[in-house]
Every structure is written in structure tokens, then in C-alpha cells.
């Protein structure tokens, strides 16, 4: 008896199996390139809200190709698009401006992640209402191209709206390349925040408004060099500042600090507000050689951050001025730092294992240190 087996085709598969196959395609936009308008059945499958799509359009160098995505592809993904990345980095055309011209961001209510790279202030201002309307948005990354011509008050209005008015954003990365003032409480949904930048005098106030955060990354300037405080705020009255002793960030477990001209004493003031801090990271530029003294750090950790498990210094530049000219002095300085952290035995103090590197550049010391609790 001969068993006749007829050959099967891709279209013979069930809708669920085809959907599983589509889930494996990377990037998933290829589904639309390959199956759009093939027949009614495939149009229905690729339009199913269960088929989730992530799009990184930042690498599209052709304006015509990007316009096709905006006018043809994106219009069919309103219920499926969960991640979108746009960028003005392409020198051939202003990508985000084209997107605003052809597409309404608020139509994509399934969006969970959004990245806007080198966006202009005017473009961000036009998109702000749509961003705040995305009630499933979890992560937002904004990197502003140039804010030098923007009135400080206008920039703060945008920043505070993003921080306080979204009910869904949990992770917010704001890189405005300009100091901003936070004067409204961070949304209760927010857990991870990155800011670039604020002044050291404003950091206590920022901490008082971020009591729900579990992770904070911030670049801190030593002083308000450019603008007086009252010209920066968008409120009618001056900020009411709380003393550091009354601030408690009970949920904060990760704190990354990019410093510009701060001293170790400045940094030490902030740490008591973080009693459950488990990972502390430091980078930037300073004139204070105390940052390279292990005994001072050990004293801080024993008294102020008893829950700390990891400590990192990532390429901290310590300015030495003319003191860096003498080779013998340089050798002695390196030896002092090595001994300070006792890295010959990869052991520091009572509870820490340490790995460190340090390089002397013209007029400054470059310090990298990674320590873990044993």
C-alpha cells in the first residue's frame, strides 16, 4: 500500500504557528516587508495586536526609505509597536522632523520604550503632549542636540513635565547637556532616573523629590556659574529647600555621580540620605586628591553606607596642576595610592576586595577602581 503524502506549504500552517514564526524574525519589520498585501489572511495576521514590534529607525540613511516607513509601515502598527528609536544623527536629513511631519506619536498607545536622540528643543516641545499621553510607556530616553539657545525656564518646564506628569514611565534618561532645576516631585511610577546635569546646591532638593527612586544617575556641577536660581525655576516662589538631615531616600540602592569640581567632603554630605545604598559609582573631574585615599573612603563606608556592596570609580580625573611634572613625584604618588587601597593583596580594609588601575596624564591622574564586599 502506497502512502501518498502531498507536499505542504507555508500557508498550510495554522495562524498560531505562523505567529510564533513571526515572533522569531529580527527585526520584526521584515514581516511587513515580506508579507504585507500578500493576501487578506496574512494582512490579518501581521495586523494582530499580539504581534509585538520594535523599530530602530535611527540607522536609516535614506530619506526616501524613512519616509516609506513613516507613511506606509508605521500607520499599520499603531497597536503593535512597543519600542521606537529615532535620531537626528544622520547628516542627510532631519529624521525626527520628518517623523513629526508624517506621523502622530500619540497614535502608538502600545509603546513601552521610546528613544529620541539629538532631538531639538522645538521638536521635543511639539511631541511633549503625545509623549505624556502614552500610558504604557515604561522607558524614555531623550538626548537633546543643542539647548544653548533655549531659555532656561522653558527647558525646566519640559523636564519637570516629563518627571512629574507621566503615570507610567519607570525609567527616564534626560540628557539636555545643560543644567536643569527640578522643582516638582517625581512621579510615583518612576524608579530609575538619569539627569545631565544639576548643581551641587540643588542636589539635596532633587533627592527630596525623588524618594521613590531605586536608581539615580546624575551629573553634578560645583556651583551655579551661568544663571541665578530665580531665573531658572518655573514657579512663582523660590524653592523650599530641606536640610540634608531630614531627607531619606529609603528605596535608593544605586547611585551614580558624575562630578565636576566637587570635593570628597561635598560627596560625603549626600550619602547619609541613602541608608540602603548597595552600589555607588563615581566619575568625572576633581581637584581633590582625597578621592584617591582609601582610608578616607573606608571611614565613609563604615559610618555612612553600611549596606554598600559595590563601589566603582570609573576614570575619575584628578587635576594635579604643575605637581604632575616630576617623574619621581609621580612614582611616589602611584605608590601611595596603591598602598592606600592595599591592592598588592587585592584586599582593602576588613571587607573589600579591590581591583584598580591608575594612569598619570599631563597634569592629571586618571583613577579607576572596582571594589566588592566579600
Amino acid at each position: 500500500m502506497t502512502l501518498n503524502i502531498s507536499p505542504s506549504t507555508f500557508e498550510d500552517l495554522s495562524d498560531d504557528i505562523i505567529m510564533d514564526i513571526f515572533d522569531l524574525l529580527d527585526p520584526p519589520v521584515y514581516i511587513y516587508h515580506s508579507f504585507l498585501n500578500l493576501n487578506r489572511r496574512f494582512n490579518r495576521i501581521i495586523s494582530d495586536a499580539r504581534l509585538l514590534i520594535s523599530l530602530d529607525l535611527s540607522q536609516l540613511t535614506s530619506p526616501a526609505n524613512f519616509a516609506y516607513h513613516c507613511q506606509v509601515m508605521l500607520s499599520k502598527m499603531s497597536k503593535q509597536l512597543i519600542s521606537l528609536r529615532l535620531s537626528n544623527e544622520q547628516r542627510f536629513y532631519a529624521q525626527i522632523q520628518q517623523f513629526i511631519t508624517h506621523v502622530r506619536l500619540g497614535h502608538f498607545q502600545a509603546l513601552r520604550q521610546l528613544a529620541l536622540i539629538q532631538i531639538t528643543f522645538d521638536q521635543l516641545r511639539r511631541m511633549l503632549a503625545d509623549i505624556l499621553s502614552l500610558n504604557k510607556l515604561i522607558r524614555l530616553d531623550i538626548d537633546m542636540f543643542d539647548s544653548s539657545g533655549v531659555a532656561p525656564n522653558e527647558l525646566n518646564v519640559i523636564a519637570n513635565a516629563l518627571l512629574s506628569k507621566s503615570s507610567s514611565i519607570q525609567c527616564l534618561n534626560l540628557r539636555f547637556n545643560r543644567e536643569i532645576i527640578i522643582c516638582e516631585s517625581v512621579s510615583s511610577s518612576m524608579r530609575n532616573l538619569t539627569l545631565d546635569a544639576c548643581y551641587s546646591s540643588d542636589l539635596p532638593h532633587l533627592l527630596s523629590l525623588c524618594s521613590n527612586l531605586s536608581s539615580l544617575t546624575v551629573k553634578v556641577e560645583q556651583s551655579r556659574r551661568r544663571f541665578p536660581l530665580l531665573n531658572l525655576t518655573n514657579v512663582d516662589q523660590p524653592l523650599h529647600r530641606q536640610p540634608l538631615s531630614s531627607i531619606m531616600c529609603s528605596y535608593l540602592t544605586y547611585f551614580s555621580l558624575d562630578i565636576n569640581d566637587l570635593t570628597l567632603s561635598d560627596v560625603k554630605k549626600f550619602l547619609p540620605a541613602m541608608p540602603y545604598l548597595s552600589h555607588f559609582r563615581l566619575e568625572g573631574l576633581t581637584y581633590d586628591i582625597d578621592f584617591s585615599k582609601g582610608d578616607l573612603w573606608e571611614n565613609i563606608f563604615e559610618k555612612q553606607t553600611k549596606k554598600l556592596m559595590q563601589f566603582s570609580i570609573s576614570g575619575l580625573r584628578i587635576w594635579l596642576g604643575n605637581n604632575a611634572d616630576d617623574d619621581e613625584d609621580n612614582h611616589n604618588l602611584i605608590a601611595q595610592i596603591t598602598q592606600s587601597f592595599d591592592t598588592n593583596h587585592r584586599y582593602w580594609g576588613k571587607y573589600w576586595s579591590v581591583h584598580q588601575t591608575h594612569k598619570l596624564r599631563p597634569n592629571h591622574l586618571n583613577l579607576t577602581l572596582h571594589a566588592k564586599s566579600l
Side-chain angles (χ1 to χ4, degrees):
M1 178 177 170
T2 304
L3 185 62
N4 293 323
I5 301 177
S6 59
S8 60
T9 64
F10 184 73
E11 294 191 45
D12 292 330
L13 299 175
S14 68
D15 289 0
D16 289 339
I17 293 178
I18 291 177
M19 186 83 70
D20 289 339
I21 294 173
F22 284 169
D23 280 337
L24 300 176
L25 294 181
D26 187 28
V29 70
Y30 287 162
I31 300 166
Y32 277 80
H33 288 309
S34 303
F35 295 96
L36 182 63
N37 294 328
L38 186 63
N39 56 46
R40 289 183 179 179
R41 182 191 177 206
F42 279 108
N43 282 350
R44 174 174 50 80
I45 293 174
I46 64 177
S47 300
D48 194 306
R50 294 174 296 171
L51 185 62
L52 305 179
I53 295 176
S54 298
L55 276 182
D56 182 356
L57 300 180
S58 64
Q59 302 303 315
L60 294 181
T61 58
S62 166
N65 192 8
F66 182 77
Y68 170 77
H69 278 78
C70 289
Q71 298 173 32
V72 178
M73 310 289 284
L74 285 171
S75 62
K76 304 179 185 301
M77 301 178 183
S78 60
K79 297 180 180 180
Q80 302 166 288
L81 189 63
I82 61 169
S83 177
L84 178 64
R85 181 182 175 89
L86 301 170
S87 173
N88 284 331
E89 293 174 305
Q90 297 296 339
R91 60 187 178 91
F92 302 106
Y93 65 105
Q95 186 176 99
I96 297 178
Q97 183 59 47
Q98 279 204 27
F99 179 87
I100 295 173
T101 302
H102 297 296
V103 183
R104 176 77 182 273
L105 182 65
H107 290 161
F108 302 98
Q109 288 298 314
L111 265 179
R112 302 174 190 172
Q113 298 186 42
L114 175 64
L116 303 170
I117 309 303
Q118 292 199 5
I119 189 172
T120 67
F121 174 78
D122 183 65
Q123 291 166 355
L124 180 57
R125 180 181 56 78
R126 293 171 62 185
M127 299 176 77
L128 179 62
D130 281 340
I131 292 173
L132 295 177
S133 74
L134 301 172
N135 56 24
K136 293 184 180 179
L137 190 65
I138 296 175
R139 181 186 177 103
L140 176 62
D141 295 88
I142 294 178
D143 183 348
M144 188 169 290
F145 171 64
D146 183 10
S147 59
S148 59
V150 181
N153 190 56
E154 292 183 308
L155 200 62
N156 289 322
V157 170
I158 297 287
N160 281 279
L162 291 170
L163 282 162
S164 63
K165 298 187 183 305
S166 171
S167 60
S168 62
I169 296 177
Q170 298 179 19
C171 180
L172 177 62
N173 298 316
L174 292 182
R175 295 180 177 88
F176 286 171
N177 298 307
R178 198 50 187 272
E179 298 82 1
I180 57 177
I181 295 295
I182 305 305
C183 48
E184 297 186 30
S185 295
V186 171
S187 168
S188 59
S189 66
M190 198 81 66
R191 293 293 177 266
N192 305 284
L193 176 61
T194 298
L195 288 179
D196 181 16
C198 78
Y199 296 100
S200 59
S201 58
D202 299 322
L203 187 55
H205 183 71
L206 173 63
L207 293 174
S208 72
L209 298 173
C210 298
S211 58
N212 293 322
L213 293 180
S214 60
S215 172
L216 176 61
T217 299
V218 61
K219 181 176 181 179
V220 179
E221 303 280 347
Q222 169 58 37
S223 60
R224 192 179 305 286
R225 296 189 179 92
R226 303 183 193 174
F227 312 103
L229 173 63
L230 296 183
N231 289 339
L232 276 168
T233 59
N234 61 318
V235 291
D236 296 330
Q237 299 178 354
L239 295 177
H240 297 289
R241 301 188 181 279
Q242 292 182 245
L244 266 170
S245 59
S246 67
I247 298 172
M248 191 64 64
C249 300
S250 300
Y251 299 100
L252 196 66
T253 58
Y254 178 84
F255 184 41
S256 180
L257 197 58
D258 184 345
I259 62 173
N260 186 3
D261 199 16
L262 269 68
T263 66
L264 182 60
S265 296
D266 294 327
V267 173
K268 193 167 84 169
K269 295 175 184 176
F270 309 131
L271 297 178
M274 311 167 191
Y276 297 99
L277 192 66
S278 63
H279 189 173
F280 178 38
R281 181 179 177 275
L282 188 68
E283 63 177 315
L285 173 66
T286 181
Y287 293 85
D288 189 1
I289 194 66
D290 282 351
F291 281 99
S292 66
K293 297 179 180 178
D295 57 332
L296 297 181
W297 281 114
E298 188 175 355
N299 185 56
I300 291 173
F301 297 151
E302 287 183 351
K303 293 181 178 180
Q304 298 183 2
T305 55
K306 297 181 179 180
K307 301 288 186 180
L308 199 68
M309 302 296 291
Q310 292 188 60
F311 171 55
S312 303
I313 296 178
S314 300
L316 179 67
R317 290 168 294 160
I318 303 176
W319 185 256
L320 302 174
N322 294 329
N323 296 329
D325 294 336
D326 190 284
D327 289 339
E328 184 177 351
D329 288 345
N330 293 344
H331 179 77
N332 291 336
L333 179 60
I334 295 295
Q336 289 173 15
I337 296 173
T338 301
Q339 185 177 6
S340 175
F341 290 99
D342 199 18
T343 51
N344 289 330
H345 302 91
R346 301 180 60 82
Y347 189 71
W348 169 37
K350 299 177 182 179
Y351 307 107
W352 294 82
S353 64
V354 174
H355 171 73
Q356 70 165 322
T357 59
H358 33 253
K359 297 180 180 178
L360 276 167
R361 304 296 187 186
N363 298 322
H364 74 267
L365 170 71
N366 196 327
L367 177 65
T368 295
L369 172 74
H370 300 289
K372 285 187 176 183
S373 176
L374 298 176

